[in-house]
C-alpha cells in the first residue's frame, strides 16, 4: 500500500514547542516497521515553525509573517535532523522536499516533483514533505499541511491519506466543548451537513483545524482516494489502518 501520512505540529511537539520525544520516537519506529513490511510511506510533516519556536527559545509562536518564516527556517533543519536520526536507527533514509503552491500549479515543476518522489520510492527512501515556509506566505502559499497532504496524496497516486492530529476524528459537534459529541466512523458523502461540522473546530497547536481537514477530504475523495483522520498520540493505530480496521474517521473516496 502507498500511504501518505500527514503529521501535525501537535503530534510532534509539546505546547512548549519542544520535541515530544515519546510520540516522535513511536511514530518513526512504526513507520519504519510499515516500510519493512513492504508499504510505501510518504510523510507530510508540519512542525517547522513549532520546532523553531522551541529551538529559538521564543515564548510563543510568532504571529507576523517574517517571524513565522524565520522560525520555520530554523525549525525545518531541526525537524529533518530529528527524523534523520530516528529513522537511521532502523536503517531508513529520509529525503526532504519543500514545496510551494507555484510548484504544484506549474505543470513542469509538478512533473519534476512526481518524478523525484517516484524515484525516491524506488530507491527505498522516505520522502518527507513540508511547505517551503520561508518563501510561501499564508496568503500566497498552500497555507496548511492538510491541503498539502491532499495535494501530495493525489499527485503521488497514494492509496490512502492519513491525517494524524490532536483530534481522533470528525465529531457531530466540537468534542472539546460538547460532551455529547459523537465521533463519526465513516463519511460516505461530503455534503453540506458534514462540511458544516468543520466550522469552529480548531487545533490547539499548528495552523489547521477541522475545516482544512474537510477540505483535504474533498480533494482526495474526489480523486478516488480514502482519507482517515486519526489520533496522532497513538501512532500504533497505523497498524490497524493498514489492516483495514476502523480507526478515527474514514472518508470514502468516490469510485471513479
Ligand atoms: N508548514 C508549517 C510548519 O511546518 C505547518 C503548516 C500546518 O501545520 O498546516 O510549521
Amino acid at each position: 500500500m502507498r500511504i501518505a501520512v500527514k503529521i501535525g505540529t501537535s503530534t510532534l511537539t509539546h505546547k512548549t514547542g519542544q520535541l515530544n520525544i515519546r510520540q516522535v520516537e513511536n511514530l518513526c519506529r512504526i513507520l519504519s516497521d510499515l516500510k519493512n513490511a513492504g508499504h510505501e510511506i510518504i510523510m507530510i510533516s508540519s512542525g517547522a515553525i513549532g520546532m523553531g519556536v522551541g529551538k529559538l527559545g521564543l515564548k510563543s509562536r510568532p504571529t507576523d509573517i517574517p517571524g513565522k518564516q524565520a522560525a520555520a527556517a530554523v525549525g525545518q533543519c531541526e525537524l529533518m535532523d530529528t527524523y534523520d536520526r530516528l529513522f537511521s536507527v532502523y536503517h531508513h533514509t529520509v529525503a526532504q522536499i519543500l514545496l510551494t503552491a507555484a510548484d504544484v500549479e506549474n505543470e513542469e515543476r509538478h512533473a519534476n516533483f512526481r518524478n523525484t518522489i517516484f524515484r525516491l520510492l524506488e530507491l527505498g527512501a522516505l520522502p518527507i514533505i513540508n511547505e517551503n515556509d520561508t518563501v510561501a506566505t499564508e496568503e500566497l502559499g498552500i497555507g496548511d499541511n492538510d491541503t498539502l497532504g491532499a495535494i501530495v496524496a493525489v499527485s503521488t497516486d497514494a492509496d490512502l491519506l492519513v491525517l494524524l492530529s490532536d483530534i481522533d476524528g470528525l465529531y457531530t459537534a466540537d468534542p472539546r466543548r460538547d460532551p455529547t459529541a459523537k465521533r463519526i466512523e465513516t463519511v460516505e458523502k461530503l455534503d453540506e451537513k458534514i462540511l458544516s461540522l468543520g466550522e469552529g473546530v480548531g487545533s490547539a497547536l499548528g495552523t489547521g483545524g477541522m475545516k482544512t481537514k474537510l477540505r483535504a477530504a474533498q480533494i482526495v475523495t474526489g480523486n478516488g482516494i480514502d482519507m482517515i483522520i486519526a489520533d496522532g498520540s497513538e501512532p500504533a493505530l497505523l497498524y490497524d489502518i493498514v489492516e483495514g480496521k476502523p480507526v478515527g474517521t474514514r472518508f470514502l473516496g468516490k469510485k471513479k
Side-chain angles (χ1 to χ4, degrees):
M1 219 179 172
R2 179 174 296 164
I3 315 162
V5 183
K6 182 259 174 178
I7 295 112
T9 303
S10 57
T11 301
L12 297 171
T13 62
H14 291 286
K15 290 196 176 67
T16 56
Q18 302 287 341
L19 188 68
N20 188 329
I21 295 173
R22 180 173 52 177
Q23 257 165 228
V24 177
E25 283 187 350
N26 280 341
L27 178 73
C28 293
R29 183 170 44 80
I30 290 159
L31 289 175
S32 295
D33 201 20
L34 292 175
K35 266 179 76 61
N36 288 352
H39 297 288
E40 288 180 324
I41 308 289
I42 298 165
M43 284 169 71
I44 300 90
S45 179
S46 301
I49 299 174
M51 287 185 102
V53 169
K55 181 112 191 191
L56 289 165
L58 306 178
K59 287 196 188 66
S60 59
R61 212 178 149 87
T63 47
D64 65 319
I65 290 171
K68 284 186 199 170
Q69 292 179 320
V74 171
Q76 183 65 30
C77 299
E78 180 81 347
L79 188 62
M80 287 310 294
D81 176 56
T82 304
Y83 284 132
D84 193 20
R85 277 186 294 108
L86 295 178
F87 281 111
S88 296
V89 175
Y90 304 103
H91 309 289
H92 286 295
T93 301
V94 296
Q96 169 183 267
I97 300 183
L98 298 177
L99 290 177
T100 60
D103 299 325
V104 288
E105 282 157 12
N106 176 289
E107 215 176 298
E108 197 182 326
R109 290 202 214 177
H110 187 232
N112 289 336
F113 161 63
R114 275 169 55 90
N115 292 341
T116 307
I117 282 271
F118 294 141
R119 181 58 61 87
L120 285 168
L121 293 175
E122 268 168 47
L123 293 168
L126 172 46
I128 304 182
I129 303 166
N130 197 358
E131 184 153 14
N132 192 352
D133 290 315
T134 53
V135 294
T137 59
E138 268 157 48
E139 291 71 21
L140 293 175
I142 297 163
D144 70 86
N145 276 8
D146 295 323
T147 309
L148 177 62
I151 293 170
V152 168
V154 173
S155 303
T156 59
D157 310 325
D159 300 303
L160 179 68
L161 170 66
V162 180
L163 301 181
L164 291 178
S165 179
D166 56 357
I167 187 155
D168 66 346
L170 177 68
Y171 280 76
T172 51
D174 185 350
R176 294 183 181 112
R177 282 181 233 154
D178 184 346
T180 65
K182 292 213 165 36
R183 182 162 50 81
I184 301 171
E185 269 195 20
T186 312
V187 174
E188 282 179 27
K189 200 164 163 266
L190 277 156
D191 53 19
E192 287 305 314
K193 201 166 150 242
I194 291 286
L195 292 175
S196 71
L197 297 176
E199 298 300 327
V201 184
S203 164
L205 295 165
T207 3
M210 198 46 77
K211 207 169 168 182
T212 55
K213 291 180 178 44
L214 292 176
R215 195 190 310 141
Q218 280 180 302
I219 298 171
V220 289
T221 58
N223 282 279
I225 302 169
D226 281 14
M227 185 186 102
I228 292 177
I229 301 175
D231 183 357
S233 67
E234 306 266 358
L237 290 173
L238 286 163
Y239 288 120
D240 293 338
I241 289 175
V242 295
E243 284 170 20
K245 294 183 186 155
V247 169
T249 299
R250 181 184 276 263
F251 297 80
L252 300 181
K254 283 198 200 113
K255 297 258 177 319
K256 282 199 220 160

